[in-house]
Amino acid sequence: MSFLLPMVIMLTYFASRHMAPFGSSSILTVDLGQQYIDFYAGFRQTILHDPLRIFYDFSKGLGGETYGDWAYYLLSPTNFLLLPFSNVHLPAAILLLTVLKYGLAGWSFAFAIRKMHWQIGWRLPLFAVSYAFMGWFVANDLNLLWLDAAILLPLIITGLENYLTHEKGWPFVVALTAVIIVNYYMAYMIGVFLILYFIWRLTWQPYRFKQRLAMLRRFILGGIISIGLATIVWLPTAYTLMNSKGQHMLANLSWKFEYQPADILGKLFLGTFNFEQMPSGLPNIFIGSLPIIILWFFFTLRNIRWQTRVVAFVVTAVLVISMMYAPLNLLWHGFQFPVWYPYRFSYLFSFWILWLVASIWSPYLRLSWYQFLTLLILASGVFIYLFSRIGDLNFITAAQLYIGGGFFIVLLLLHILPAKIKFWLPAVTLIVIGEMSTSTVWTLNNFSYLTNTEYQTYIRSLNNITKNLPKSSTDFYRVAQSFQQTKGDPLQGNYHGASTFSSALEHQQSDIMAAFGQPEGDNYIAYSSGTLMTDSLLGMRYLLQPTGNQPTVSGTPTNMQTYSRSDTNGTYQLVNQTKQAILSQNPNALPLGFAASDNVRNVKFKENDPLRNQNTLWGSLNGYNQQDIFTSANFSKSSASNLNAPATITGAYLTKQNNNEGASLTLTYVPTSNNPYYLTLGNAVTNDNLEIQLNGQTLPAIPSHRHTIIVPLPAHAKGQSQEVTFSLKKKDVWLQNVSLYQGNQQQINKQAKALQQHPYKIKKQSPIKISGEITMPKKDSMMMTTIPKSSGWQVYVDGKKTSTVTVGKFFIGVPLESGKHQVTFKFKTPLFKIGAIVSLGFLLVVLGFKWSESQKRQHTLL
């Protein structure tokens, strides 16, 4: 029942919301719909078709190490339940997986407190529902990758308890090892909590000093063995993190409380989580009214050792202060502030309180009048305070206070009634289940969800246009696109792109995209503003574009359009077309590797000058004896409405003359050739302050960007007047780095053809090994590749390991003499071999001791 009851409640709720497979809605929202579902699609492709993508995948941006991604996102064994479902039906599969995890959380806590001999029978489902529907679990049920930690935590604690009482330590080691493997991030938080828990555990009885030392030895030994067994996962991942998230550790640290401390009391009421709480809200610590009542009983019950109560209070205080004070909060998150979903460790506080409560509660427990009145006075003070703060808190309303207060009063009164009242336990159970379920429904109703119809429309459109892309072990290419549902589309469509969203993204990928004028952040890159030059360089052989059909229908590629790639007009050739999408081919796409000038060694990029950077790199490939591909162009005319037209556009400040009226600046240029044109926008030009129209048509929203980005404009428009209009959304705006450029299409065509003459011909490839040959001409001495530089890549030339250079601080370059060469690229996940050896060593030692014990010898380890 502890397993089934949470599942039945959640299935009933999801079915009532008509979420797939129960209707046309879906469970997809926020990161689940924008990031995780793409990883699940990639998980399925990898397991079923190409397991080596666990280590490296060219679908991760321009290519990247993926072992760290799997360690963070995909190592839960429950993910194997997704394998029977195609990517079209993943929302239904994810819903069923979510429901299963609710059930597993309820079962886990019930199993633990029964194993501790604290609760039995029908009291178990009461605590199971309280744990499975705690505020943290419900608020994060879209973060499926974290839920396993909450499921395993009760098993870890129970295993530790058995171990400390001189029983076998295998349950503790297995459970702790499992959580480290499944999600190292949450495991780190559990490790910190275990230290606090162990200190409290030492106060249960008046142990002798030697007994405490023996318990400490067991605790440390069990932890070391678990860490050792999981080394194969965490050691290579730690190396990866130092190249991604580790670059920003201790950033923006402030020694202060992050909000008014008393406001956290509002989070003890039901349904206090909404979208506004995701970026920078308060910790989700709702556990229902019953645990709060019994917690007061715990701290005021003299039958419990005072040492136990004092240390329990200290641990509780540490957890509470950690959820307020920035340095402690940072410690729990591995010394890096989380991006959205703050206070991710708050599930440990909820578990801790429920664990304390489960250790003493019974249907015969009754509060004294002193306990009743003092708790009632404290609760009244909390209610009055929160009522006075309603206008300042975006997560609580008067209705929540009244309803939550009602549940609290009823349960409080039931705990002063005589113990022999019939149906007392069923009444308490129903009230607890009612309160927890109400909070769950209230919380989940605060979110908007992607419809299953919209999701499936898009995925079917993507599948239909990409299913005929050539697949060969001797061919490599990338695919650009001018529509996008998420940055993980390459994982969904199973092709190599240049966009990704990953918490383990290498910072070099963000750096190169910034240099090329593409939107990027610490954990994402989006190739949505390509040029003819970057398409050619990066091997973007194909381009996906919307047909323009059904622009108002949710989920169609037209509805998901990013910046139009009209700069490819007249250059790219139509290959295939469906009702929703167009596939065209770029004749200038370069291979993965090619012969280039040795001048690429000297490439240096300038910040916020993407087209200059592209000129520099392209020119170096060809030996510098060429004119620039991109040159500045001028607007021929400007006209303004409700503001003064500036004489110089780049760097101008626009200010409304009348704040109550709309304002716009229209810039006109007339192409003197059929060359493509490009507009650049500095990071001060955002979707919040500007809307851009091209020839009267509103362009897609300006994407979030930290550096200057590029907006492609039409090619093949010679003599046709083009108007770019900036409409102000605010009082003023700074036109930072707003400039017009013209590209030289003929020169790109000519030079691309020259670079294609000496390609790296792939003979065989896998995600971690590429073998081929190249013939170097006398004028060139560098094999340029668009493989991202990584310490995991090793290059062999004619069978001998050779050193490489890093081009533009990103790409692998291989110095070669003229003539024909066999070149092989091998990727080895850094520290994976060492981690595997350590884990295997620990496993052999553990198995050896296990065998020894089975032979009734005197050796023992755990």
Side-chain angles (χ1 to χ4, degrees):
M1 285 303 299
S2 297
F3 173 69
L4 291 175
L5 187 56
M7 291 181 64
V8 170
I9 292 173
M10 293 311 300
L11 272 175
T12 302
Y13 170 76
F14 289 139
S16 71
R17 292 292 303 267
H18 308 291
M19 294 180 176
F22 305 108
S24 60
S25 184
S26 82
I27 197 173
L28 303 181
T29 185
V30 199
D31 281 357
L32 182 56
Q34 297 173 3
Q35 180 183 185
Y36 305 148
I37 192 167
D38 302 320
F39 278 109
Y40 292 138
F43 172 87
R44 186 175 183 276
Q45 286 287 340
T46 299
I47 296 298
L48 296 180
H49 303 293
D50 198 352
L52 291 177
R53 288 171 62 178
I54 292 175
F55 300 102
Y56 195 92
D57 196 346
F58 279 100
S59 295
K60 179 186 177 182
L62 291 170
E65 185 274 335
T66 49
Y67 194 71
D69 294 82
W70 277 70
Y72 183 66
Y73 292 101
L74 297 171
L75 289 187
S76 170
T78 59
N79 290 340
F80 284 95
L81 298 175
L82 302 174
L83 293 183
F85 299 86
S86 69
N87 62 345
V88 173
H89 298 291
L90 272 179
I94 291 173
L95 182 142
L96 298 176
L97 183 58
T98 302
V99 169
L100 174 64
K101 292 198 176 187
Y102 273 102
L104 289 174
W107 169 84
S108 175
F109 196 84
F111 172 85
I113 59 178
R114 182 178 183 275
K115 189 76 173 177
M116 295 294 294
H117 306 292
W118 289 347
Q119 304 294 335
I120 58 173
W122 289 95
R123 291 183 252 168
L124 297 177
L126 182 152
F127 281 96
V129 171
S130 295
Y131 188 69
F133 290 167
M134 63 181 173
W136 181 91
F137 205 95
V138 176
N140 289 286
D141 72 355
L142 57 95
N143 293 308
L144 288 171
L145 61 160
W146 297 343
L147 303 186
D148 294 63
I151 294 169
L152 289 168
L153 178 58
L155 305 182
I156 294 170
I157 297 297
T158 306
L160 177 62
E161 287 292 345
N162 291 337
Y163 186 29
L164 294 180
T165 54
H166 304 287
E167 295 184 26
K168 296 299 182 184
W170 310 113
F172 172 61
V173 168
V174 170
L176 185 56
T177 302
V179 78
I180 298 172
I181 291 174
V182 168
N183 192 283
Y184 62 86
Y185 184 57
M186 290 289 145
Y188 164 78
M189 300 174 189
I190 289 176
V192 177
F193 174 74
L194 284 176
I195 296 173
L196 296 176
Y197 183 89
F198 178 75
I199 294 172
W200 175 68
R201 181 62 177 80
L202 292 178
T203 67
W204 281 22
Q205 297 178 25
Y207 298 111
R208 296 190 303 274
F209 181 72
K210 287 186 177 180
Q211 289 177 299
R212 287 192 169 94
L213 281 181
M215 293 170 72
L216 178 62
R217 180 189 65 82
R218 284 174 165 251
F219 176 68
I220 294 174
L221 182 60
I224 290 174
I225 292 175
S226 298
I227 293 171
L229 290 172
T231 304
I232 190 173
V233 171
W234 69 258
L235 184 61
T237 302
Y239 182 90
T240 300
L241 288 175
M242 294 308 296
N243 200 35
S244 53
K245 280 182 173 292
Q247 299 287 317
H248 311 286
M249 291 178 69
L250 299 177
N252 303 316
L253 175 61
S254 59
W255 300 84
K256 65 178 183 180
F257 284 88
E258 298 180 290
Y259 55 88
Q260 192 164 312
D263 288 347
I264 196 175
L265 296 170
K267 283 292 188 170
L268 296 175
F269 284 77
L270 73 177
T272 50
F273 185 75
N274 51 39
F275 186 81
E276 288 76 16
Q277 286 286 293
M278 284 187 182
S280 57
L282 273 64
N284 298 296
I285 57 172
F286 174 76
I287 47 177
S289 299
L290 179 63
I292 303 303
I293 295 169
I294 307 307
L295 183 65
W296 182 247
F297 186 89
F298 179 93
F299 285 122
T300 56
L301 181 64
R302 294 185 178 181
N303 292 345
I304 301 174
R305 297 184 77 232
W306 68 266
Q307 296 94 332
T308 304
R309 285 183 288 149
V310 168
V311 176
F313 179 81
V314 171
V315 171
T316 305
V318 169
L319 290 170
V320 171
I321 295 173
S322 295
M323 293 185 290
M324 302 175 181
Y325 190 53
L328 290 179
N329 178 33
L330 195 64
L331 182 149
W332 285 93
H333 290 100
F335 303 98
Q336 184 179 68
F337 282 114
V339 179
W340 284 44
Y341 310 107
Y343 313 104
R344 298 174 182 181
F345 67 95
S346 59
Y347 71 99
L348 296 168
F349 172 82
S350 299
F351 167 83
W352 168 248
I353 300 302
L354 286 168
W355 192 251
L356 293 179
V357 168
S359 70
I360 64 168
W361 185 81
S362 81
Y364 303 101
L365 184 151
R366 291 298 179 270
L367 298 174
S368 68
W369 281 103
Y370 170 77
Q371 291 172 320
F372 170 78
L373 291 174
T374 52
L375 183 55
L376 184 62
I377 291 170
L378 288 173
S380 299
V382 170
F383 187 90
I384 293 170
Y385 171 80
L386 291 174
F387 201 85
S388 69
R389 292 278 294 163
I390 283 179
D392 300 309
L393 303 176
N394 62 12
F395 58 84
I396 196 166
T397 64
Q400 287 167 284
L401 286 176
Y402 289 132
I403 295 173
F407 277 112
F408 181 85
I409 291 298
V410 171
L411 286 170
L412 186 60
L413 290 174
L414 284 171
H415 278 81
I416 62 170
L417 293 177
K420 294 183 179 180
I421 290 181
K422 195 175 183 181
F423 303 123
W424 187 91
L425 180 58
V428 170
T429 301
L430 288 175
I431 292 170
V432 169
I433 293 174
E435 183 182 21
M436 301 306 295
S437 300
T438 300
S439 178
T440 299
V441 171
W442 205 321
T443 296
L444 295 179
N445 281 349
N446 285 330
F447 304 106
S448 58
Y449 297 86
L450 183 71
T451 68
N452 195 48
T453 302
E454 178 180 347
Y455 170 82
Q456 291 189 333
T457 296
Y458 184 85
I459 294 300
R460 286 193 173 105
S461 299
L462 187 66
N463 289 346
N464 288 338
I465 196 65
T466 59
K467 65 183 178 181
N468 293 322
L469 286 172
K471 293 177 175 60
S472 169
S473 62
T474 61
D475 192 17
F476 182 95
Y477 60 86
R478 293 187 175 98
V479 179
Q481 56 192 106
S482 63
F483 60 83
Q484 185 181 79
Q485 178 172 261
T486 69
K487 297 173 181 65
D489 278 0
L491 292 173
Q492 289 279 8
N494 194 30
Y495 55 84
H496 301 151
S499 300
T500 193
F501 186 175
S502 169
S503 290
L505 180 66
E506 300 87 348
H507 73 89
Q508 292 91 342
Q509 294 223 43
S510 297
D511 295 343
I512 195 67
M513 284 298 177
F516 285 168
Q518 309 300 304
E520 51 77 37
D522 290 336
N523 53 13
Y524 75 89
I525 56 175
Y527 188 75
S528 59
S529 302
T531 68
L532 294 184
M533 189 239 104
T534 55
D535 281 2
S536 177
L537 171 70
L538 299 176
M540 299 290 174
R541 186 185 301 171
Y542 297 100
L543 171 65
L544 299 175
Q545 299 181 89
T547 59
N549 293 331
Q550 299 178 300
T552 60
V553 176
S554 296
T556 62
T558 301
N559 186 260
M560 301 286 187
Q561 181 165 351
T562 55
Y563 288 133
S564 169
R565 289 302 307 277
S566 55
D567 60 319
T568 66
N569 293 347
T571 302
Y572 292 10
Q573 303 154 3
L574 179 66
V575 174
N576 189 19
Q577 182 171 343
T578 65
K579 181 180 179 181
Q580 299 293 350
I582 298 171
L583 180 66
S584 57
Q585 185 170 352
N586 174 16
N588 295 326
L590 298 179
L592 183 63
F594 51 91
S597 168
D598 194 58
N599 290 330
V600 294
R601 291 175 179 266
N602 305 318
V603 168
K604 292 183 179 180
F605 295 134
K606 183 179 179 182
E607 190 173 9
N608 291 317
D609 201 346
L611 291 174
R612 173 194 173 277
N613 294 336
Q614 294 185 29
N615 280 333
T616 299
L617 179 55
W618 189 260
S620 70
L621 295 173
N622 292 277
Y624 287 141
N625 297 319
Q626 310 290 338
Q627 67 183 68
D628 287 343
I629 294 293
F630 303 103
T631 55
S632 296
N634 295 317
F635 292 104
S636 58
K637 184 176 69 172
S638 65
S639 59
S641 173
N642 193 28
L643 50 82
N644 293 322
T648 302
I649 303 302
T650 304
Y653 284 88
L654 304 182
T655 303
K656 287 184 178 181
Q657 295 173 341
N658 186 334
N659 292 338
N660 298 322
E661 296 181 3
S664 64
L665 174 67
T666 298
L667 305 172
T668 303
Y669 71 96
V670 180
T672 57
S673 68
N674 283 323
N675 284 328
Y677 281 73
Y678 298 93
L679 183 71
T680 60
L681 306 174
N683 65 346
V685 182
T686 69
N687 192 56
D688 291 333
N689 55 32
L690 269 185
E691 180 181 87
I692 303 176
Q693 294 92 32
L694 176 62
N695 298 326
Q697 298 294 318
T698 301
L699 297 182
I702 300 171
S704 176
H705 58 289
R706 305 185 298 184
H707 300 84
T708 299
I709 61 170
I710 297 168
V711 179
L713 298 175
H716 270 251
K718 181 179 180 180
Q720 302 173 28
S721 179
Q722 305 291 309
E723 290 187 349
V724 179
T725 301
F726 298 104
S727 297
L728 276 66
K729 295 182 179 180
K730 294 185 176 181
K731 178 182 177 181
D732 49 39
V733 66
W734 175 28
L735 298 183
Q736 181 196 24
N737 289 349
V738 174
S739 300
L740 182 68
Y741 291 85
Q742 178 182 186
N744 190 326
Q745 184 172 317
Q746 184 177 3
Q747 187 175 338
I748 291 179
N749 295 345
K750 178 182 177 181
Q751 294 177 350
K753 292 294 186 292
L755 293 171
Q756 289 172 338
Q757 294 303 307
H758 301 282
Y760 174 56
K761 298 178 181 179
I762 297 174
K763 300 300 182 182
K764 189 176 181 181
Q765 66 173 318
S766 74
I768 60 172
K769 185 178 180 180
I770 305 171
S771 301
E773 62 182 28
I774 186 172
T775 301
M776 297 292 294
K778 292 183 178 181
K779 67 181 182 67
D780 295 324
S781 58
M782 181 67 68
M783 175 182 167
M784 171 69 182
T785 79
T786 53
I787 300 174
K789 175 69 175 180
S790 167
S791 58
W793 281 112
Q794 297 176 350
V795 182
Y796 296 82
V797 176
D798 301 324
K800 296 181 180 180
K801 187 176 180 180
T802 188
S803 59
T804 62
V805 298
T806 305
V807 177
K809 296 184 178 180
F810 185 72
F811 299 110
I812 295 177
V814 185
L816 293 176
E817 296 179 354
S818 61
K820 189 175 182 179
H821 300 281
Q822 304 294 323
V823 183
T824 299
F825 297 84
K826 295 180 180 180
F827 183 83
K828 296 181 179 180
T829 302
L831 302 183
F832 177 80
K833 185 177 180 179
I834 295 175
I837 292 172
V838 172
S839 290
L840 180 61
F842 270 88
L843 181 61
L844 291 176
V845 170
V846 169
L847 291 177
F849 273 94
K850 185 66 176 176
W851 173 83
S852 178
E853 291 172 8
S854 69
Q855 297 299 311
K856 297 182 179 180
R857 301 185 183 185
Q858 299 302 311
H859 307 294
T860 183
L861 180 64
L862 294 173

